[in-house]
Amino acid sequence: MDKIKQVELYAKEMLVTEKAAHDFAHSDRVMKIAVLIGEKLDADLEIIKIAALTHDIIDKKVAGNVLDASNALRHKLESLGYLTLQIDHVFDIIENMSYSSGKIPESLEGKIVQDADRLEAVGAISIARAFAYGGKMDRMIYQEDNANCSIAHFYDKLLKLKDMMNTDIAKSIAERRHKVMEEYLDNFYKEWNLEDIV
Ligand code: NI
């Protein structure tokens, strides 16, 4: 079995209990989007694949203990024969790509994986993920003046992402997906206020 396949199996195993927004299907899509962008920009696709597949394993939203999860991942990558240089590169990406960190990874590969992860938070799938995660966190769908409801999350984060993309390719995909969210919110408020009932 090739090494990436084994990284994939490891990620799947680590994310098996994740059902809401950080399930393996999310990581898999991040990988595929990042590879498509990476091919166009001549990036190191092996690094992109590892980072995309493992990025949520060490996220505090997913890992019980971030340090333990990071150590276990490092050991796993070492045991598969990846070089220290490659492993350090992967960690530089996955430790610096989350929205909450406010950081941008230094390498091209990091910028691409960050864009791919952020594209997952813009558009139709993003809407599903936002409500699934909101439900998991026991949040209301919508309540005026409730900064903690799922709809508020659109304004806190999701609608800001299209202006935060690192690569031009991601920017243009984000523009399209952003419109889907804007239209969705328009329709949401119309239905909420019964304005669509004639
Ligand atoms: Ni993610």
Side-chain angles (χ1 to χ4, degrees):
M1 206 190 310
D2 70 14
K3 288 198 278 186
I4 280 297
K5 190 78 202 157
Q6 296 197 53
V7 174
E8 196 180 307
L9 288 178
Y10 182 74
K12 216 177 237 176
E13 192 188 317
M14 292 298 118
L15 297 171
V16 76
T17 55
E18 288 296 318
K19 305 226 164 43
H22 305 98
D23 56 333
F24 177 76
H26 158 68
S27 291
D28 190 47
R29 283 192 305 270
V30 172
M31 179 186 73
K32 287 169 180 161
I33 299 166
V35 166
L36 288 174
I37 299 173
E39 279 170 347
K40 293 194 175 133
L41 300 181
D42 244 342
D44 183 335
L45 298 183
E46 185 87 358
I47 293 292
I48 281 182
K49 287 178 189 171
I50 307 169
L53 285 169
T54 62
H55 78 279
D56 273 336
I57 293 175
I58 65 151
D59 191 296
K60 59 179 183 301
K61 291 190 289 296
V62 172
N65 180 315
V66 173
L67 192 62
D68 287 350
S70 298
N71 287 335
L73 174 61
R74 187 172 278 277
H75 288 142
K76 181 70 194 174
L77 296 175
E78 280 167 0
S79 75
L80 291 174
Y82 285 109
L83 306 172
T84 306
L85 202 73
Q86 291 175 300
I87 298 173
D88 287 346
H89 189 173
V90 167
F91 271 86
D92 191 58
I93 297 173
I94 62 182
E95 285 175 344
N96 292 300
M97 64 181 272
S98 76
Y99 182 80
S100 57
S101 77
K103 293 179 187 162
I104 299 173
E106 263 184 43
S107 69
L108 172 65
E109 289 75 15
K111 291 181 171 73
I112 291 171
V113 176
Q114 184 176 58
D115 277 0
D117 190 36
R118 288 183 173 174
L119 281 172
E120 272 277 292
V122 190
I125 289 177
S126 159
I127 296 169
R129 295 179 74 226
F131 290 113
Y133 187 70
K136 185 182 174 184
M137 302 304 281
D138 212 21
R139 290 177 185 153
M140 304 285 290
I141 290 175
Y142 176 57
Q143 200 174 33
E144 226 179 319
D145 302 326
N146 178 350
N148 201 36
C149 69
S150 289
I151 289 287
H153 186 57
F154 284 75
Y155 300 93
D156 281 352
K157 174 178 167 182
L158 309 183
L159 292 168
K160 293 178 180 169
L161 293 172
K162 80 166 170 52
D163 295 322
M164 296 176 72
M165 298 294 159
N166 302 306
T167 64
D168 288 342
I169 304 170
K171 262 176 217 154
S172 69
I173 303 168
E175 295 280 348
R176 281 202 307 272
R177 291 187 173 187
H178 185 87
K179 290 199 184 91
V180 173
M181 292 198 300
E182 281 185 329
E183 267 172 43
Y184 174 79
L185 287 170
D186 273 355
N187 284 308
F188 182 94
Y189 294 124
K190 271 189 196 134
E191 291 182 21
W192 191 271
N193 299 314
L194 306 183
E195 285 164 10
D196 64 320
I197 310 289
V198 285

